[in-house]
Amino acid sequence: MPDEYYQLLEEIQAVDFVLVELTLYLDTHPNDLQALQQFNQYAAYCKQLKQQFEAKFGMLQQFGGSFADANWSWGSAPWPWQV
């Protein structure tokens, strides 16, 4: 796989981590408007990154989290433990 594959995947993982942490924080601080704003910014960025990844390398998530292409390429990319 090209370097860009690994770079995008690492960026997606980092942003997903930030979203998990913000979710946990917001569970106990639901009125923190700055945290809510950060969550929404990272959620939009995450969506953008995942769309960019899928446009270049195929499906990233299954069970409705990603749209399938005409070739059903879900199983053709390396599995997470292979990268």
Side-chain angles (χ1 to χ4, degrees):
M1 300 303 295
D3 287 341
E4 185 181 16
Y5 176 91
Y6 300 103
Q7 291 166 350
L8 277 172
L9 194 58
E10 185 175 345
E11 183 71 14
I12 289 167
Q13 291 169 337
V15 172
D16 279 346
F17 178 81
V18 170
L19 286 169
V20 168
E21 292 297 312
L22 283 169
T23 298
L24 293 172
Y25 176 80
L26 285 165
D27 283 348
T28 59
H29 301 81
N31 298 319
D32 186 334
L33 297 179
Q34 184 178 2
L36 286 167
Q37 182 182 13
Q38 285 180 327
F39 180 89
N40 288 332
Q41 288 173 338
Y42 275 97
Y45 182 49
C46 187
K47 183 177 180 178
Q48 174 190 357
L49 283 172
K50 288 177 179 179
Q51 287 173 341
Q52 183 181 357
F53 182 94
E54 289 180 339
K56 293 180 180 187
F57 303 110
M59 292 174 67
L60 186 59
Q61 303 170 334
Q62 67 182 123
F63 304 119
S66 297
F67 290 99
D69 60 14
N71 299 318
W72 186 247
S73 63
W74 169 248
S76 63
W79 293 100
W81 56 88
Q82 295 175 311
V83 294

